[in-house]
Structures are given as structure tokens and as C-alpha cells.
Amino acid sequence: MIRNIKVLFISTSMCCLLQSYIAHADPVDTSAVNMLSVPSAMKQLESNGYYDFRMIKIERKHNEIAVKARNKVGESVELEMDLYSGVILHEKVYGEGTP
């Protein structure tokens, strides 16, 4: 009888411990699901007239995609694009030379 009570107490304690661990576990990072992929970023830029992509770099620290390409009139540009919305945050034109 006493042994059954000890086993019941130990199993109940383990159950409570497990529930406490699950309740305080680190949250799962779901931000990767909402980020633009490189192919979708390229398609979006192409639809806005950009072409001749020389560099595409995902900068997660700044939530940006850095892109070197050419704009509609053929100028070399460097773009900073929002990693989640695809909005062009900054465009620097280099003219005829390469960036």
C-alpha cells in the first residue's frame, strides 16, 4: 500500500514537472514563414522594371534584402527591400558604371 502511494506521488510529481517545462518552453520562431523568398523578391522587382540582378543578399539583422541590379532606364542601382513586405526602402543610383 505504501509502495503504491510512493509510485503515485512520483508519477504525479513528474507529470507536474513536465507540464511546467512545456508551459515555460521557448516560443517557436515563425518569422521565417512570412519572409520573402529570393525568387519572389526577384519576380516583384522584375514586375517593377528591374533586371540584370548582380547580387541579392538577405540581411536578416536589418530585415532587408540588398539587391544590385539595373532599373528601367538601364542605370546600375543598389536597392534595399523590406524582407517581409517587399517594399523598396532605399534606391541608390550609380549611373552607367557598376555599383
Side-chain angles (χ1 to χ4, degrees):
M1 174 92 172
I2 293 177
R3 183 173 183 193
N4 290 341
I5 293 173
K6 286 182 183 178
V7 170
L8 180 62
F9 177 74
I10 291 172
S11 61
T12 304
S13 298
M14 292 300 288
C15 182
C16 291
L17 180 64
L18 181 61
Q19 287 177 347
S20 174
Y21 176 75
I22 291 171
H24 295 94
D26 290 335
V28 176
D29 183 14
T30 58
S31 62
V33 176
N34 300 325
M35 289 188 315
L36 285 175
S37 65
V38 171
S40 63
M42 287 178 63
K43 285 181 182 179
Q44 186 173 344
L45 290 170
E46 285 174 337
S47 70
N48 289 328
Y50 295 96
Y51 65 98
D52 192 24
F53 300 104
R54 299 294 173 136
M55 183 218 38
I56 299 175
K57 179 180 177 185
I58 296 176
E59 297 180 358
R60 291 179 192 219
K61 181 179 178 182
H62 301 290
N63 294 327
E64 295 175 351
I65 300 175
V67 179
K68 291 182 181 177
R70 293 196 179 271
N71 63 13
K72 291 179 184 177
V73 294
E75 299 170 312
S76 294
V77 294
E78 186 172 333
L79 306 167
E80 291 176 359
M81 183 180 207
D82 184 83
L83 185 58
Y84 297 94
S85 69
V87 172
I88 296 174
L89 304 171
H90 182 72
E91 179 177 350
K92 184 174 181 181
V93 179
Y94 289 95
E96 293 298 318
T98 58

